[in-house]
Amino acid sequence: MARRVLCLLLLVWPASAAQRRENLIYSKFDIDPGEWRYFEFPSKEKDARLSVQFEVQSPQSSSGVRIGVLAAEEFRRFRANQPNQALSASGYLKEGTLRTRLTQPGGYVVVIDNKMEGRRKYRVEMEVTLAYGPDPESLPVVYASPQKRLVLVSVSLAGFLLILALSGRALWRATRRPLRLPSY
């Protein structure tokens, strides 16, 4: 019984450390001149990573939009026109990517601000992704020693050549056998 539990834990352990990605939104939408839109979402774990990719598709001569990420409480202040603190924000850009780390679980809001434009409606394409688990960019890089690399490459090459030889031998034998046709 203990062996089965240990085997099960060994199988589950790598899956628990794997990175998980959740696409929160991928959409195109219009923002009226001088207005802003928002998108609320929950973060279920601490140290989640949020990525917001955006592009203003029309009009072509746009000054851009500003993207901000706020905690739910700060968003309440933002809506009430009170001083607030964004976790991360971009400048007014026509396109870009905003990345930020969400340190605590809870509610968050992505705000798309078009207040700089007073005349035209903007069409914005946006993709918001939330990632959990270890950050591949922060994991340490470890290289095998030259001796281990030589052994690994040699064993891999020998295995490949063995498979190639056995497959070639089987094909050679198959082509040398006489063809037997069924009799009717």
Side-chain angles (χ1 to χ4, degrees):
M1 180 64 174
R3 246 188 210 166
R4 288 183 185 171
V5 171
L6 181 62
C7 288
L8 183 61
L9 286 175
L10 287 175
L11 291 173
V12 172
W13 176 66
S16 67
Q19 179 181 6
R20 296 179 320 279
R21 295 175 60 89
E22 191 177 330
N23 284 338
L24 300 175
I25 186 170
Y26 180 77
S27 183
K28 295 179 184 179
F29 49 88
D30 295 328
I31 303 176
D32 291 328
E35 296 294 322
W36 51 271
R37 294 188 76 179
Y38 67 96
F39 172 69
E40 295 179 90
F41 65 95
S43 174
K44 300 169 191 154
E45 298 177 21
K46 67 177 192 172
D47 291 328
R49 294 173 314 281
L50 182 73
S51 174
V52 181
Q53 293 180 318
F54 62 97
E55 178 182 1
V56 177
Q57 295 189 325
S58 65
Q60 292 298 323
S61 61
S62 68
S63 57
V65 294
R66 181 175 184 254
I67 305 294
V69 179
L70 295 96
E73 183 59 36
E74 293 296 323
F75 180 65
R76 285 186 200 97
R77 291 187 189 117
F78 175 82
R79 289 183 84 169
N81 288 325
Q82 296 176 347
N84 58 73
Q85 180 69 37
L87 294 172
S88 185
S90 71
Y92 283 91
L93 301 171
K94 187 167 179 172
E95 66 180 275
T97 301
L98 179 67
R99 290 186 176 95
T100 189
R101 185 173 294 280
L102 307 177
T103 58
Q104 297 298 321
Y108 293 91
V109 180
V110 174
V111 178
I112 306 98
D113 181 2
N114 187 23
K115 290 183 181 178
M116 196 166 168
E117 178 63 47
R119 298 171 286 139
R120 298 177 288 187
K121 167 188 319 192
Y122 283 1
R123 173 160 289 252
V124 178
E125 179 178 11
M126 186 171 76
E127 179 179 11
V128 181
T129 307
L130 193 57
Y132 300 102
D135 186 4
E137 294 177 4
S138 67
L139 293 176
V141 177
V142 179
Y143 294 101
S145 67
Q147 294 84 10
K148 287 182 182 178
R149 281 188 264 170
L150 178 64
V151 169
L152 181 64
V153 169
S154 300
V155 169
S156 298
L157 185 59
F160 174 72
L161 291 175
L162 179 65
I163 291 170
L164 189 65
L166 292 174
S167 300
R169 183 176 162 198
L171 285 172
W172 180 261
R173 284 184 179 173
T175 60
R176 294 294 167 208
R177 288 190 195 138
L179 184 63
R180 295 184 189 161
L181 298 173
S183 60
Y184 296 98

